[in-house]
Amino acid sequence: MSFGERPQDRPQYPQYGRPEHGHGQQGYGNYPLQPGYPDQPAYGVLRDNSNATVALVLGLLPLITGLLFLSPIAWWKANQALAEIDAAPGVYNNRGMAVGGQIAGIIGTVLLILVVLGLIALVLFFVVFAGVASTA
């Protein structure tokens, strides 16, 4: 196996056809990647959608660090990833990561809205309280 070849790129089914000879020849069961279709995976090999990975990272990062302004971006990237995964069934295998990024993005966006509303309420409270204190 070379550096560019992943273990999941090899077929996981029994090798039918001519058995391997001792001279380095392979049997008929070793199928190559699909020629002429660069965006299609090998026979039965699923790929990871990079937008799903980005969405999950962007969804969890705000919840851990408090950078809540990243949450709507995670929600948006997760929706993109889910649309790509649904548009090409049988190509991508990480739908769960996209759903996790979407849920984390929604939670972070709700927290962001609550923080913004809390800050607005705090500012209004101090404006009203300062106005009452200056008139007394």
Side-chain angles (χ1 to χ4, degrees):
M1 180 177 352
S2 66
F3 285 109
E5 185 178 349
R6 302 179 305 176
Q8 60 264 34
D9 289 341
R10 291 186 175 195
Q12 300 296 323
Y13 38 83
Q15 302 296 314
Y16 296 109
R18 183 174 52 151
E20 288 197 31
H21 300 289
H23 306 292
Q25 297 175 349
Q26 296 179 342
Y28 294 123
N30 297 329
Y31 295 109
L33 294 176
Q34 293 183 20
Y37 298 98
D39 25 332
Q40 295 297 321
Y43 302 99
V45 176
L46 299 177
R47 297 184 297 182
D48 287 341
N49 187 317
S50 60
N51 279 339
T53 307
V54 169
L56 185 63
V57 170
L58 284 177
L60 293 178
L61 191 66
L63 298 179
I64 295 170
T65 63
L67 301 171
L68 293 175
F69 64 90
L70 295 175
S71 296
I73 299 170
W75 191 1
W76 172 63
K77 290 300 277 184
N79 286 338
Q80 277 186 343
L82 285 172
E84 290 175 6
I85 291 170
D86 291 341
V91 175
Y92 300 108
N93 66 349
N94 60 344
R95 182 179 176 84
M97 291 178 77
V99 171
Q102 185 180 35
I103 291 170
I106 290 171
I107 291 170
T109 302
V110 168
L111 288 174
L112 176 66
I113 291 170
L114 290 175
V115 166
V116 168
L117 290 176
L119 288 175
I120 291 172
L122 191 64
V123 167
L124 288 176
F125 176 75
F126 281 118
V127 166
V128 169
F129 181 71
V132 171
S134 65
T135 59

